[in-house]
Amino acid sequence: MDEFDLIRRYFTRATPAAVLGVGDDAALVAPSAGRQLAISADMLLEGRHFFADTDPYALGWKALAVNLSDMAAMGAQPRWFTLCIALPKADPAWLAPFSEGLFALADQYGVALIGGDTTAGPLNIAIQIIGEVEAGLALRRDGAQAGDDIWLSGPTGAAAMAVRHRYGRLQLADADLAYCAARLDRPQPRVTLGRRLLGLASAAIDISDGLVADLAHIARRSGLAATLNLLDLPQPALSDEVLALPDFDVCLLAGGDDYELCFTAAPAQRAAVQALASELKLPLCRVGSMAAGQGVQVLDAVGQPLALAQTGFNHFA
Ligand code: ADP
Ligand code: MG
């Protein structure tokens, strides 16, 4: 199987959403009237973002999921993506499940693979995604206002617990491991929620590096301080023993890879956000508020600020 067979077999699908898809020197797409393009890219490297023995289906899923999550955080409708992939070898036993995982999620969100690049080399997966958002309405990091509530779309921490388990730093029992591994390997990008937050949320970000670190981006870009209440943070469905581990609070506050949305909204929008939670069946949770100042603080059960040893993942820290 050469490079072109490989592209034809595993990465070429009908793309009715594009004017021209895979097979020419460039793809052609027609943006919708009145919308802006939202463009984002995310790279996954073996040994850095995933373990060498990661299930290829999960990898295909996740490579696209992390990009869809960026579209969700902007409130954009994902439309097209490109895939640049370096592969150690052209192995059908790896490529077939990888492309299945990739297209399973692509089909779920109606997003089309329209091109890319394929080379031999150490495993490296880079996806660029293009979405559309109503002009002027994108959910930016700089839109939070003093007095806004801070909301989370779901519990954080479980994905980071799965990473700790895989590194042998802690031992999760089967049921806990199954939950945490699903959060790590098959994140559900909150695309539908992101779309519905247009005109409702004032700012948004997806939690990829850690709750505190990612919320700090909203705080900094909006020129405000963020306060989280530890007791209001939603907890993942894990056993009491796991929730009581000292590592757990670190994962809750600073563990990455959850791909939940963190967003701010005016208190006047509380009822609307709660109605959205029931409609979309998402456990949207109000976890804090924005105020004049800077930085992120987390208040404990008695309202005292926690000393945070770690806020999130940072490649060059
Ligand atoms: P070029 O030589 O013009 O760069 P390539 O031979 O690299 O073109 O690719 C041929 C076609 O296949 C192009 O349309 C390109 O976008 C597409 N393509 C290459 N690799 C991938 C991939 N991994 N997934 C999807 N499309 C791909
Ligand atoms: Mg090329």
Side-chain angles (χ1 to χ4, degrees), residues 82-98:
T82 61
L83 169 67
C84 292
I85 188 164
L87 294 162
K89 55 186 189 330
D91 176 11
W94 190 92
L95 279 158
F98 174 82

Side-chain angles (χ1 to χ4, degrees), residues 122-206:
L123 187 56
N124 181 357
I125 304 157
I127 286 181
Q128 178 161 60
I129 191 157
I130 306 169
E132 295 186 315
V133 59
E134 289 69 10
L137 291 186
L139 305 174
R140 299 162 50 136
R141 294 178 180 182
D142 61 5
Q145 305 291 316
D148 279 357
D149 296 321
I150 301 170
W151 295 82
L152 262 184
S153 66
T156 56
M161 293 296 275
V163 173
R164 277 171 161 68
H165 176 92
R166 288 184 186 165
Y167 274 120
R169 287 171 57 183
L170 53 79
Q171 204 58 45
L172 295 172
D174 287 353
D176 288 325
L177 179 59
Y179 178 92
C180 292
R183 297 282 294 176
L184 179 67
D185 294 335
R186 299 273 184 93
Q188 293 290 339
R190 303 301 179 197
V191 173
T192 311
L193 173 63
R195 294 292 291 152
R196 297 293 301 277
L197 288 176
L198 292 195
L200 214 172
S202 51
I205 192 167
D206 63 322

Side-chain angles (χ1 to χ4, degrees), residues 3-4 7 24-25 84 116-119:
E3 177 189 329
F4 300 105
I7 296 167
D24 213 308
D25 294 305
C84 292
D117 201 21
T118 305
T119 81

